[in-house]
Amino acid sequence: MSDVPSSVVLREVGPRDGLQNEPPVPTAGKVELVDALGTTGLTEIETVSYVHPRAIPQMADAAEVWSAVERRDDVRYSALVPNLVGARRALDGGFRDLEVVVSASATHNLRNLNRTPEQSLDGIAEVIDLAHQAGATCQVIVATAFGCPYEGEVAEDVVASYAARARRDGADSICFGDTTGMGSPPRVRRLVGRFRDLDAAAPLALHMHDTRGTGMANLVAGLELGVRRFDASVGGLGGCPYAPGASGNIATEEAVYLLQELGVETGVDLDRLLDVAALAQRLVGRELPSRVLKAGPRTRLSA
């Protein structure tokens, strides 16, 4: 446990990764959610994605949402972009933190982006260059990093090599995405270890889903390896439109609760975050899977 950091950064991905898997939420509701999340102590919020509305109609109002958000100086807002067109829209709108995705699985990448992974990486290099010219950062997310619903196993060497290629092309950071919750602690240890053999200095994040109930165990495995950045989604919103059976991301409030119990600082006000999780639940009109939202922290006693 000697590598466990004393503090971590949680990036809230509910407004983008979460809401893209729900029936369209009105623009005003999305803005309300982003603004409320900004009051919790979270310092990073993935806000929108600039994708074609035919691909993800839930994100068709990205520009309208972003223009209406009450931007806070203490929060970094990011946008997911699929290509140069999306990157230009995000940069022209004022974003200075971009994310772009490549799937380690060729089948998933073709279904998601209509490109081979190698073609995606060529395009990503152009996005990175454009972002840097604008004074922005660009994180490369390697999706299906722990397995693919179409292909099954994805070799760690392949995943690590795509991440290393992105870093050579200038990626500011790497994120390994467990798109369908196929990860497990041993797989996290192997992949993180393999990538660090190639690029020990790379800023690294983990994006875990809880499809098979291993999301928090995977977070702890990453934590024990010194990973300091994790994605999470308020209420456990999320999934993947191109991955059958994918359920939500790890819930932000569950991650905060567990990290607090481990003595790891997040800077997040858990009580306030639970209020926002309840708001997210009202916005989507269904019960969200977060167990901490249902039960509260262990310090909440019955009357």
Side-chain angles (χ1 to χ4, degrees):
M1 296 286 285
S2 59
D3 290 333
V4 171
S6 60
S7 63
V8 301
V9 174
L10 294 175
R11 177 171 60 190
E12 172 57 54
V13 301
R16 195 283 303 177
D17 196 5
L19 294 186
Q20 77 171 16
N21 292 280
E22 300 290 330
V25 170
T27 300
K30 295 175 183 176
V31 173
E32 182 182 10
L33 180 61
V34 173
D35 286 347
L37 287 165
T39 69
T40 64
L42 287 160
T43 57
E44 297 190 7
I45 300 174
E46 184 186 56
T47 311
V48 297
S49 62
Y50 285 89
V51 296
H52 198 287
R54 284 201 302 268
I56 308 289
Q58 295 90 332
M59 293 287 112
D61 58 351
E64 291 79 9
V65 170
W66 178 232
S67 67
V69 165
E70 185 177 341
R71 304 173 198 179
R72 299 173 60 97
D73 292 338
D74 57 348
V75 176
R76 295 178 66 173
Y77 300 92
S78 63
L80 183 75
V81 301
N83 50 35
L84 276 174
V85 173
R88 289 192 182 98
R89 290 181 62 203
L91 293 169
D92 289 346
F95 278 99
R96 287 300 173 262
D97 290 283
L98 305 185
E99 306 147 28
V100 63
V101 179
V102 59
S103 291
S105 155
T107 303
H108 186 267
N109 206 71
L110 284 165
R111 296 198 182 202
N112 192 13
L113 300 169
N114 200 30
R115 290 179 166 190
T116 67
E118 292 75 18
Q119 289 171 327
S120 283
L121 286 165
D122 291 342
I124 284 170
E126 297 177 333
V127 171
I128 293 169
D129 185 55
L130 179 69
H132 289 173
Q133 289 179 35
T137 68
C138 185
Q139 180 183 81
V140 174
I141 303 169
V142 184
T144 63
F146 300 95
C148 169
Y150 306 110
E151 296 183 8
E153 300 292 336
V154 179
E156 282 104 2
D157 283 349
V158 171
V159 182
S161 70
Y162 289 168
R165 156 79 192 274
R167 280 283 288 170
R168 290 194 299 272
D169 288 335
D172 295 282
S173 61
I174 297 295
C175 179
F176 289 134
D178 187 16
T179 311
T180 58
M182 296 172 76
S184 64
R187 293 176 186 275
V188 170
R189 295 185 191 105
R190 288 198 301 269
L191 178 55
V192 171
R194 182 70 188 100
F195 178 56
R196 283 185 170 157
D197 287 341
L198 301 177
D199 190 343
L204 179 62
L206 294 177
H207 176 107
M208 314 309 299
H209 285 228
D210 202 33
T211 311
R212 293 169 178 82
T214 59
M216 288 300 165
N218 293 334
L219 181 151
V220 172
L223 195 69
E224 291 174 345
L225 293 167
V227 176
R228 298 176 56 95
R229 307 181 72 84
F230 300 90
D231 287 357
S233 180
V234 63
L237 284 165
C240 178
Y242 301 98
S247 61
N249 301 64
I250 58 173
T252 313
E253 59 274 14
E254 291 187 350
V256 170
Y257 174 70
L258 177 60
L259 289 163
Q260 286 182 351
E261 290 293 303
L262 293 171
V264 178
E265 180 58 49
T266 65
V268 178
D269 181 331
L270 180 56
D271 289 333
R272 175 59 185 146
L273 182 61
L274 287 168
D275 290 340
V276 181
L279 166 64
Q281 188 163 259
R282 292 194 298 273
L283 287 173
V284 300
R286 68 177 180 90
E287 186 176 280
L288 294 178
S290 168
R291 289 151 291 195
V292 174
L293 174 58
K294 294 174 185 176
R298 66 177 181 83
T299 52
R300 182 184 294 175
L301 304 180
S302 299

